[in-house]
């Protein structure tokens, strides 16, 4: 390629880059940023509402990050993820499962994106109202948002939902959701006067998820945040019934298509932190997002980790979505 | 019922054959010219078409088969890796290897296909039969319907090798086949008979196979079937005409299979006559007229027709 050719190409590349950047900048500015209320005097109930509001926007910012990393595809992936698991399906000819109703555990379930889809598929599409779903997360503020969102569901679906605070790495220490903030545990502030994250403290555990009690364990865009992934996989294996299925949806490696991968890398390493800085004034979170995805093992390596935890897989054990930008991994706990 | 044994030995056969393929005829072992009787005998019971569904699900069913075995499975995966890379240069990948867990589940579900089709129903019933849960088939790619179809294709294809001895000894109708052409016909016919248990479900299966994401794998299976038949029939040509033959055999087989889905004659007599006519035509035309393009075109239009018959507007 000639020198001019190269220059023309890089100019074109830069222009495209700016165009995409501008597009997302506009997308962001349209979203109202959280208002600061730290110095106002407000009543306790007002405060609770406002804090919940901040976390709604935390949840929104998770959504927004997912949008950026997936070009908006993550909702389609979630639909596909749930549809391909077909929760609540039971053979018509043989009647309901003699081994009792299905129990689905959605780990790192945050605001309920996956759990609500599961409920809809099981209760409505598969007409199986016996299916129960537990949403679990380490962050009870996220769970509180999820619980609020769930109030728009039909009563029968709400009744089949439960919310549990737990660290995915140790599911024998849990407690039912204490809404955040609660009058019992007033929220604290850190040195900068910011609301502290509402992470679950295992010292406050009151219950546990029993071994061999879950039919389907799901985790969507959560597992790469865990500090000890093998421990989480072992816990998944413990709580699943023999024959139960582990299913994970997570960002992955698009390196099977080098050109696409190069563009995607460029986008995620350069554009996304920049967007985070310019628009959300939060470069660090966005930098972390990109790096956590980069650090996460490749499709094959993660599949091997699942097998090491005691699961059996079918075929390759994973399915690439959108060229590998995300992947679904599945494993089954074999009968002992 | 122990299908992993079947798939393992068949896998070995496929490996041997694929390793032989690139060799020139001159250095081929002479046994390839007249296929030797298979070294192992697949019991014909195992490979007989499934015609009846097992007794309905029984709660008190406690004679459960042995459990799935994890360590074996990991080992197998590691062993298969280099094999696959080697073949991908010259030939389609060997049959998508089913992991033992997958094979166990699919073979149990397969018994329910005659009654319930290639459906989640059959998969969940199969899972219950082997002591698994209704959710267990979710571990299969895309919930398992296409995996179940592939199981049928793979299972019936690999069964052919075990039947060769009987077929060539003239135990089928029409006496012992002598020429390569006659053997091809006898083998294609034996394979079509493998569809007997699922014929009523085969149009549904074709509609699933015609979905864009499954077309490549479906065509690959068809090509592998043609390979298998030509190999077992003792066709040793390694020149370009081999590809044409494979293509025309694929076309003819696919057409005969489609014909079979609407054939109500006793013992699928009409299908057999159809198969013979098409093979004769191809032989008379020198076997070289059907290009790969035509073959793909045929499959596409057959798929479109099936989809139309399912009410899809194309
Ligand atoms: C990006 S959100 C995913 C939310 C939801 N599953 C979805 O798909 O939209 C990641 C979630 O993982 C949770 N999380 C992070 N580490 C965790 C851990 N060790 N145990 C449980 N949840 C954790 C976070 O609190 C957060 O809610």
């Amino acid at each position: 390629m000639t020198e001019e050719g190269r220059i023309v190409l890089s100019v074109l590349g830069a222009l495209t880059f700016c165009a995409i950047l501008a597009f997302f900048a506009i997308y962001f500015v349209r979203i109202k940023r959280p208002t600061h209320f730290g110095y106002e005097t407000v009543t306790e109930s007002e405060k609770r509402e406002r804090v919940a509001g901040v976390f709604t926007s935390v949840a929104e910012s998770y959504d927004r990050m997912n949008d950026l990393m997936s070009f908006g595809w993550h909702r389609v992936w979630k639909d596909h993820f749930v549809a391909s698991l077909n929760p609540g399906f039971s053979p018509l000819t043989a009647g309901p499962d003699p081994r009792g109703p299905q129990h689905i555990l959605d780990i790192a379930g945050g605001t309920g994106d996956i759990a609500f889809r599961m409920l809809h598929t099981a209760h409505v599409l598969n007409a199986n109202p016996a299916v129960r779903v537990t949403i679990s997360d380490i962050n009870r503020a996220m769970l509180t948002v999820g619980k609020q969102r769930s109030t728009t569901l039909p009563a029968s679906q709400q009744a089949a939902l439960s919310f549990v605070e737990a660290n995915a790495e140790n599911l024998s220490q849990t407690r039912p959701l204490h809404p955040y903030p609660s009058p019992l545990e007033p929220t604290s502030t850190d040195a900068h006067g910011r609301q502290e994250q509402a992470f679950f403290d295992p010292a406050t555990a009151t219950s546990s998820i029993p071994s061999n009690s879950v039919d389907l364990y799901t985790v969507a865009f959560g597992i790469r945040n865990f500090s000890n992934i093998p421990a989480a996989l072992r816990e998944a294996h413990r709580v699943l019934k023999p024959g139960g299925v582990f299913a994970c949806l997570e960002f992955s490696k698009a390196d099977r298509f080098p050109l696409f991968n190069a563009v995607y890398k460029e986008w995620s390493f350069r554009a996304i932190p920049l967007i985070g800085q310019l628009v959300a004034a939060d470069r660090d979170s966005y930098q972390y997002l990109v790096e956590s995805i980069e650090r996460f093992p490749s499709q094959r390596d993660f599949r091997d980790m699942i097998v090491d935890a005691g699961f059996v897989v079918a075929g390759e054990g994973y399915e690439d979505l959108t060229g590998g930008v995300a992947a679904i991994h599945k494993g089954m706990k074999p009968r002992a | 019922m122990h299908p992993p044994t079947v798939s393992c030995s068949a896998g070995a056969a496929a490996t041997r054959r694929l390793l032989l393929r690139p060799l020139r005829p001159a250095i081929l072992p002479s046994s390839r010219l007249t296929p030797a009787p298979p070294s192992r005998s697949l019991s014909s019971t195992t490979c007989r078409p499934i015609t009846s569904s097992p007794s309905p699900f029984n709660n008190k069913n406690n004679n459960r088969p042995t459990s799935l075995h994890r360590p074996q499975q990991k080992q197998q995966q590691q062993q298969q890796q280099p094999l696959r890379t080697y073949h991908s240069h010259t030939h389609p990948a060997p049959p998508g290897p089913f992991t033992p867990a997958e094979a166990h589940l699919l073979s149990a579900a397969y018994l329910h296909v005659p009654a319930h089709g290639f459906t989640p129903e059959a998969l969940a019933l199969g899972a219950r039969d082997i002591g698994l849960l209704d959710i267990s088939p979710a571990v299969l790619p895309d919930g398992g319907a296409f995996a179940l179809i592939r199981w049928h294709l793979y299972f019936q294809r690999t069964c052919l090798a075990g039947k060769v001895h009987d077929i060539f000894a003239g135990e089928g109708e029409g006496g012992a086949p002598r020429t390569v052409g006659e053997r091809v016909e006898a083998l294609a016919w034996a394979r079509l008979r493998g569809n007997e248990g699922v014929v009523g479900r085969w149009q549904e299966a074709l509609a699933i196979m015609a979905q864009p994401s499954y077309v490549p794998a479906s065509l690959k299976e068809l090509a592998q079937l043609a390979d298998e038949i030509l190999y077992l029939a003792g066709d040793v040509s390694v020149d370009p005409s081999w590809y044409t033959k494979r293509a025309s055999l694929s076309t003819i087989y696919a057409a005969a299979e489609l014909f079979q889905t609407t054939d109500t004659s006793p013992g699928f007599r009409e299908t057999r006559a159809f198969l013979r006519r098409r093979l004769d035509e191809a032989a008379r035309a020198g076997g070289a007229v059907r290009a790969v393009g035509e073959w793909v075109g045929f499959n596409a239009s057959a798929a479109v027709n099936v989809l139309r018959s399912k009410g899809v507007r194309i």
Side-chain angles (χ1 to χ4, degrees):
Chain A
M1 196 188 292
T2 64
E3 194 59 29
E4 291 122 276
R6 240 178 254 139
I7 292 170
V8 169
L9 262 190
S10 57
V11 168
L12 272 181
L15 281 178
T16 325
F17 193 73
C18 290
I20 300 174
L21 211 68
F23 174 82
F24 275 99
I26 292 165
Y27 169 81
F28 260 84
V29 171
R30 277 194 10 245
I31 295 167
K32 221 175 89 213
R33 288 173 50 192
T35 43
H36 186 71
F37 56 91
Y39 301 109
E40 299 169 40
T41 35
V42 288
T43 66
E44 189 56 36
S45 78
E46 263 178 340
K47 183 171 166 198
R48 207 171 307 149
E49 248 167 57
R50 288 192 181 195
V51 172
V54 170
F55 278 100
T56 308
S57 78
V58 169
E60 271 168 7
S61 98
Y62 268 126
D63 262 5
R64 212 176 306 150
M65 291 186 186
N66 276 349
D67 273 336
L68 284 175
M69 289 306 299
S70 74
F71 307 105
W73 273 94
H74 67 103
R75 290 185 191 80
V76 179
W77 294 339
K78 285 172 178 166
D79 286 344
H80 171 74
F81 180 63
V82 172
S84 75
L85 292 168
N86 202 9
F89 181 84
S90 212
L92 263 181
T93 47
D97 198 324
R99 289 154 298 190
Q102 254 177 33
H103 180 203
I104 300 171
L105 175 60
D106 185 32
I107 290 288
T111 53
D113 258 21
I114 297 296
F116 299 167
R117 283 172 169 84
M118 290 286 175
L119 271 179
H120 179 77
T121 308
H123 285 209
V124 181
L125 302 183
N126 284 327
N128 188 348
V131 174
R132 295 180 297 131
V133 180
T134 301
I135 306 184
S136 177
D137 201 292
I138 200 172
N139 183 335
R140 59 200 180 94
M142 290 287 282
L143 281 178
T144 306
V145 175
K147 185 148 192 171
Q148 276 168 4
R149 285 191 184 170
S150 75
T151 55
T152 60
L153 298 175
S156 62
Q157 293 185 23
Q158 287 184 47
L161 264 182
S162 45
F163 294 84
V164 167
E165 299 172 24
N167 182 342
E169 294 154 25
N170 180 3
L171 296 175
S172 57
Q173 293 185 315
T174 70
R175 68 168 189 181
L177 170 64
H178 289 205
Y180 181 86
S182 85
L184 294 177
E185 293 167 296
T187 55
S188 55
T189 49
D190 68 11
H192 308 284
R194 284 188 305 234
Q195 299 288 334
E196 266 178 0
Q197 288 285 308
F199 287 115
F200 167 65
D201 175 3
T204 63
T206 57
S207 61
S208 82
I209 300 180
S211 303
N212 306 316
S213 67
V214 172
D215 292 76
L216 176 60
Y217 173 115
T218 56
V219 55
F221 304 115
I223 206 161
R224 69 164 192 281
N225 300 308
F226 299 176
S227 41
N228 187 346
I229 296 174
L233 291 173
R234 277 195 300 276
E235 277 296 85
H237 188 270
R238 178 182 70 79
V239 300
L240 279 167
K241 300 174 187 170
V245 172
F246 164 88
C248 169
L249 171 61
E250 188 53 271
F251 287 112
S252 202
K253 308 254 183 281
D255 42 20
R256 268 202 296 159
F257 305 100
L259 189 67
F260 174 61
N261 192 32
V263 175
Y264 186 65
K265 280 258 162 67
E266 187 76 359
W267 165 249
S268 49
F269 275 98
R270 297 227 266 155
I272 287 179
L274 195 60
I275 292 172
Q277 180 174 27
L278 292 178
V279 189
D282 185 7
R283 188 178 181 109
D284 290 352
S285 302
Y286 286 73
Q287 187 79 37
Y288 167 79
L289 168 76
V290 173
E291 281 170 6
S292 69
I293 294 173
E294 182 65 15
R295 264 201 317 274
F296 192 67
S298 72
Q299 282 90 328
R300 277 155 183 268
D301 290 346
F302 185 45
R303 186 260 328 273
D304 290 345
M305 290 169 77
I306 292 169
V307 171
D308 285 342
F311 291 98
V312 292
V313 298
E316 298 291 336
Y318 63 86
E319 175 194 356
D320 278 343
L321 304 174
T322 317
V325 171
I328 292 175
H329 280 78
K330 294 189 288 199
M332 185 182 79
K333 176 174 173 175
R335 295 183 58 216
Chain B
M1 179 175 49
H2 219 293
T5 336
V6 172
S7 56
C8 281
S9 48
T15 309
R16 177 170 43 81
R17 182 160 54 262
L18 283 163
L19 289 168
L20 284 174
R21 175 76 74 216
L23 302 178
R24 300 271 115 201
I27 51 167
L28 283 174
S30 58
S31 67
R32 262 203 84 195
L33 298 171
T34 24
S39 50
R40 83 220 101 89
S41 58
L42 286 171
S43 102
S44 57
T45 357
T46 328
C47 279
R48 213 180 282 147
I50 38 164
T51 43
S52 63
S53 149
S55 57
F57 178 71
N58 177 2
N59 283 355
K60 285 158 249 124
N61 175 14
N62 41 20
N63 56 334
R64 285 170 172 165
T66 49
S67 60
L68 312 176
H69 236 298
R70 185 178 72 85
Q72 259 180 16
Q73 174 257 327
K74 210 190 170 187
Q75 215 179 358
Q76 184 198 319
Q77 239 169 23
Q78 282 165 351
Q79 284 168 353
Q80 274 161 353
Q81 236 56 51
L83 201 84
R84 177 172 281 201
T85 350
Y86 169 76
H87 292 300
S88 60
H89 301 298
T90 42
H91 285 282
F98 297 95
T99 64
E102 203 176 3
H104 194 202
L105 183 50
L106 289 173
S107 58
Y110 188 49
L111 298 176
H112 293 276
V113 170
H116 301 286
F118 297 87
T119 57
E121 182 85 7
L123 287 157
L125 288 171
R128 286 190 183 191
D129 286 349
I130 56 174
L132 298 177
L133 305 170
D134 288 350
I135 195 71
S136 304
V139 76
L140 300 169
D142 282 338
F146 184 65
L148 195 50
I149 293 171
R150 268 185 64 230
W151 177 261
H152 166 74
L153 297 172
Y154 169 77
F155 181 68
Q156 294 297 340
R157 168 164 58 81
T158 51
C159 271
L160 278 181
K163 293 178 184 165
V164 155
H165 189 69
D166 289 353
I167 296 170
F168 290 178
E171 311 217 327
E173 311 104 90
R178 296 187 190 285
T179 64
V180 168
E182 282 169 5
R183 289 195 199 126
V184 165
E185 187 197 319
L187 286 160
W189 173 238
R191 173 60 190 83
L192 285 167
R193 297 209 54 172
N195 285 344
E196 275 174 22
V198 303
V199 159
R201 303 288 172 175
W202 197 241
Q203 292 217 350
E204 290 158 26
L206 287 174
I208 295 174
M209 290 159 77
Q211 287 171 22
S213 52
Y214 300 142
V215 166
S218 304
L219 289 181
K220 197 181 278 179
E221 263 301 335
L222 184 61
Q224 283 176 336
L225 175 63
D227 276 2
E228 180 87 3
I229 291 177
L230 288 174
Y231 166 70
L232 293 174
D235 188 322
V236 290
S237 47
V238 193
D239 50 42
S241 86
W242 184 82
Y243 287 97
T244 342
K245 269 186 247 170
R246 182 171 84 158
S248 51
L249 177 56
S250 301
T251 316
I252 292 169
Y253 178 80
E257 200 170 62
L258 204 59
F259 187 96
Q260 190 184 24
T261 61
T262 55
D263 184 359
T264 52
S265 64
F268 297 100
R269 233 189 286 136
E270 302 285 330
T271 303
R272 172 131 221 211
F274 178 90
L275 174 70
R276 181 168 293 159
R277 269 199 312 279
R278 296 296 306 266
L279 284 171
D280 284 350
E281 277 165 27
R284 244 178 285 123
V289 282
R290 272 162 237 276
V292 175
E294 193 191 335
W295 164 54
V296 171
F298 171 81
N299 281 285
S301 61
V304 165
N305 285 334
V306 168
L307 285 178
R308 283 201 180 120
S309 76
K310 297 275 146 208
V312 178
R313 284 193 213 157
I314 300 181

